[in-house]
């Protein structure tokens, strides 16, 4: 049950001073709380015996007020320490969780749903932080404070009465063990269901226009209602067990009161304790009520926190499929790119996605990659990003195997514009500056001109400061592509990868962008994957892929002379262009 505290040992060691002070003051406040009931009992005995005076009464009242004020300030400090630690571990875990996600490769996100990761980053981390704060309070109150109160009852009042009153306590311990296991199992299921619901919400919000276009609103509402019903049922299963905690403890506390009152009156009549002792004892017994509840809360919190920490650790312990070499090789610049008999298969695939691909490219050259849909064009480009473990064959950059180059250095050379443009819910300026942090407006405008976006910019309501909305929802497909290209241009990378990045622009705009690429990127390497052959006519080398294999290679003119797939596709596109004109 307490494994969650052991697993969080790194945090308690890091914040040792905070917790030593907080727990010491928590215990001190608990001890001081024992004194007012004893003083009140003494005052009652003096009243019963007729020995009370104004001076003694003033003394008792003054001491009780002094202790209450002292307890107030001590409580303020320990609460600040303990619950401040709760907020701190939440911040640390969130930062660690997010930083870890940034190191993960695409295969990790293929295996893990976004909604579930969000649930772990929110609900699960919050459950762990509650364990670190309120959980530590219940741990101390259900053990140390409970022990101190019981000792005070035994030493300051009567051992006989104390032993009789605690007879129901073992019943609580037995019930807590049973309830705790049930809470752990059911809470894990409830958190999994919450992750499923998150996924459903993300899909519905992202695809709301498609849902409306196909008139599937009612169906989507039904699907969401079903999944929320599942979340409700699983959380109610947790609540059903949770609801047993308080009645069980109240029953045991009630039995303790009955025993204490009955046996206490008997001892008073036998003159073994005084009336003041009985009043003090009952006040102490009232102080035992919270520690008894704390036992239930402790079991509940530890089981929830343990289940959540297991889910968080499952993510944090996941290792990236691609990691830096133990002894990386420093490469000044990518002077050449060479693939030798590269065969690659995605982790989720059952067939090779690239087969024996070989090509060589020198710095400053342009490579065109064409082929049918699904031929492996995007896969070929992604090999240079090293997002997946390399397959058979060798990928060399400046003669160095790509596995021996650090990912940070490799990615610093690359400018990548994927097929699916990812824009952030920020302004046009901020989206472009993502490629070069702090870029001036002049540099931004140069990148915009290179991407042929300047004419579209004047039509936007606030120009560079126009919010593009989530995933660029307020922009057209062609505009999103050109903002993404501007982001890559402004970084001025050594190697620019354009993965079908011109598919949503018209032929005239495409020609303008290609001309700008040729002019602006003289001396730098460019790799263009496309379906439009006009975009790569100028390339130094063009390869045609089919089922992951290179079936044709050469310059534009050489490929036309082969009379193969390239020539057939080129002539078809020429006819289509003539018809559209």
């Amino acid at each position: 049950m307490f494994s969650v505290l052991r697993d969080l040992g790194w945090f308690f060691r890091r914040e040792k001073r905070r917790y030593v002070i907080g727990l010491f003051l928590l215990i001190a406040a608990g001890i001081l709380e024992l004194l007012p009931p004893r003083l009140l009992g003494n005052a009652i005995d003096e009243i019963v015996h007729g020995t009370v005076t104004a001076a003694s009464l003033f003394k008792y009242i003054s001491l009780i007020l002094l202790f209450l004020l002292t307890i107030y300030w001590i409580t303020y400090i320990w609460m600040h320490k303990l619950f401040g630690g709760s907020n701190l571990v939440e911040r640390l875990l969130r930062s660690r969780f997010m930083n870890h996600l940034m190191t993960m490769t695409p295969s990790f996100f293929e295996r893990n749903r976004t909604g579930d990761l969000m649930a772990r980053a929110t609900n699960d981390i919050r459950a762990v932080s509650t364990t670190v704060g309120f959980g530590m309070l219940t741990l101390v109150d259900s053990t140390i404070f409970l022990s101190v109160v019981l000792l005070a009852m035994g030493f300051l009042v009567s051992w006989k009465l104390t032993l009789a009153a605690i007879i129901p306590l073992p019943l609580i311990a037995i019930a807590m063990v049973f309830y705790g296991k049930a809470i752990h199992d059911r809470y894990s299921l409830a958190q999994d269901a919450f992750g499923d619901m998150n996924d459903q919400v993300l899909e519905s919000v992202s695809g709301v226009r498609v849902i409306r276009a196909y008139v599937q609103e009612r169906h989507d509402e039904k699907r969401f209602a079903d999944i929320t019903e599942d979340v409700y049922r699983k959380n109610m299963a947790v609540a059903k067990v949770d609801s047993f905690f308080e009645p069980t403890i109240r029953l045991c506390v009630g039995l303790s009161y009955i025993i204490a009152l009955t046996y206490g009156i008997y001892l008073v009549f036998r003159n073994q304790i005084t009336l003041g002792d009985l009043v003090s004892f009952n006040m102490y017994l009232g102080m035992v009520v919270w520690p008894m509840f704390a036992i239930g809360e402790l079991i509940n919190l530890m089981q929830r926190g343990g289940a959540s920490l297991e889910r968080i650790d499952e993510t944090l312990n996941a290792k990236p499929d691609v990691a830096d070499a133990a002894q990386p090789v420093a490469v000044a610049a990518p002077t050449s790119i060479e693939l030798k008999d590269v065969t690659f298969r995605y982790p989720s695939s059952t067939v090779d996605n690239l087969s024996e691909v070989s090509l060589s490219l020198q710095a400053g050259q342009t490579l065109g990659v064409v082929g049918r849909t699904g031929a492996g064009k995007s896969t070929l480009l992604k090999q240079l990003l090293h997002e997946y473990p390399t397959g058979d064959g060798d990928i060399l950059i400046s003669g160095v195997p790509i596995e021996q180059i650090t990912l940070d250095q490799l990615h610093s050379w690359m400018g990548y514009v994927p097929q699916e443009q990812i824009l952030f819910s920020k302004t046009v300026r901020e989206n472009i500056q993502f490629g070069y942090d702090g870029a001036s407006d002049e540099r931004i405008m140069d990148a915009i001109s290179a991407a042929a976006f300047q004419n579209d910019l004047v039509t936007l309501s606030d120009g560079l400061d126009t919010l593009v909305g989530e995933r660029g929802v307020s922009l057209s497909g062609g505009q999103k592509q050109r903002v993404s290209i501007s982001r890559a241009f402004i970084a001025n990378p050594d190697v620019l990868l354009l993965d079908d990045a011109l598919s949503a622009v018209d032929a005239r705009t495409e020609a303008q962008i290609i001309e700008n690429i040729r002019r602006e990127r003289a001396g730098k390497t460019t790799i263009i994957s496309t379906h439009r052959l006009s975009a790569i006519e100028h390339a130094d080398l063009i390869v045609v892929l089919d089922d992951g294999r290179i079936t044709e290679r050469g310059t534009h003119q050489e490929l036309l002379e082969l009379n193969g797939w390239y020539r057939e596709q080129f002539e078809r596109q020429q006819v289509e262009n003539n018809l559209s004109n």
Side-chain angles (χ1 to χ4, degrees), residues 464-484:
L464 283 174
D465 295 315
T466 302
L467 289 170
V468 302
E470 187 174 5
R471 292 178 174 268
V473 67
S474 64
L475 302 180
S476 69
Q479 288 174 331
K480 285 193 287 187
Q481 280 192 337
R482 281 174 287 161
V483 170
S484 297

Side-chain angles (χ1 to χ4, degrees), residues 63-311:
L63 286 174
I64 290 173
L65 286 175
L66 177 62
F67 286 133
L68 291 176
L69 288 173
T70 304
I71 291 168
Y72 172 84
W73 284 110
I74 290 177
T75 301
Y76 169 78
I77 297 171
W78 71 251
M79 288 188 72
H80 177 267
K81 294 294 183 182
L82 291 189
F83 291 106
S86 175
N87 294 326
L88 182 59
V89 76
E90 187 172 349
R91 188 192 73 181
L92 290 173
L93 282 177
R94 282 224 173 90
S95 298
R96 181 179 293 185
F97 193 88
M98 189 62 187
N99 292 340
H100 186 71
L101 292 184
M102 291 295 101
T103 66
M104 290 294 99
T105 50
S107 55
F108 170 83
F109 296 99
E110 292 167 9
R111 296 191 302 267
N112 294 271
R113 298 164 302 153
T114 303
D116 188 54
L117 292 175
M118 290 177 62
R120 297 181 188 209
T122 52
N123 281 13
D124 285 316
I125 288 180
R126 192 170 298 116
V128 173
S129 72
T130 302
T131 303
V132 169
F134 191 59
M136 293 301 293
L137 167 63
T138 57
L139 176 62
V140 171
D141 281 350
S142 63
T143 54
I144 298 175
F145 182 58
L146 178 60
S147 301
V148 170
V149 175
L150 292 176
L151 288 172
M153 293 164 65
F155 282 108
L156 300 180
V157 182
S158 169
W159 270 112
K160 294 180 181 179
L161 187 57
T162 302
L163 289 174
I166 65 173
I167 289 175
L169 290 186
L171 298 176
I172 296 179
I174 295 171
M176 293 307 107
V177 171
F178 175 76
Y179 297 155
K181 185 179 184 307
I183 281 284
H184 183 279
D185 296 340
R186 298 187 183 198
Y187 186 71
S188 295
L189 293 174
Q191 290 298 84
D192 289 339
F194 183 78
D196 293 338
M197 184 181 70
N198 271 358
D199 263 336
Q200 173 62 37
V201 172
L202 282 171
E203 287 183 4
S204 295
V205 172
S206 300
V208 64
R209 285 180 291 183
V210 176
I211 291 171
R212 288 175 177 171
Y214 285 88
V215 197
Q216 292 295 307
E217 293 93 335
R218 303 291 83 79
H219 174 74
D220 196 67
E221 289 172 5
K222 170 85 169 48
R223 188 169 57 159
F224 183 71
D226 290 341
I227 200 168
T228 52
E229 177 65 23
D230 182 56
V231 174
Y232 169 76
R233 284 198 307 270
K234 289 177 178 175
N235 276 287
M236 282 302 296
V238 176
K240 284 178 181 178
V241 178
D242 198 12
S243 62
F244 279 110
F245 280 97
E246 188 169 335
T248 301
I249 294 170
R250 285 191 181 278
L251 175 63
C252 294
V253 170
L255 292 174
S256 293
Y257 267 113
I258 292 172
I259 294 171
L261 185 61
T262 304
Y263 189 50
I265 292 173
Y266 170 78
L267 293 178
V268 170
F269 278 116
R270 294 291 298 272
N271 292 321
Q272 293 185 20
I273 61 173
T274 66
L275 180 61
D277 288 337
L278 182 59
V279 171
S280 296
F281 187 87
N282 276 281
M283 292 185 70
Y284 286 141
L285 194 58
M287 295 171 68
V288 170
V289 173
W290 159 243
M292 287 186 174
F293 278 113
I295 294 173
E297 289 293 331
L298 176 66
I299 302 293
N300 197 341
L301 288 171
M302 292 300 165
Q303 294 296 353
R304 290 179 183 234
S308 290
L309 190 60
E310 286 175 8
R311 285 162 50 83

Side-chain angles (χ1 to χ4, degrees), residues 317-336:
N317 291 333
K319 302 297 182 184
D321 294 332
V322 178
D324 289 337
Q327 295 181 330
V329 177
V331 180
T335 56
S336 65

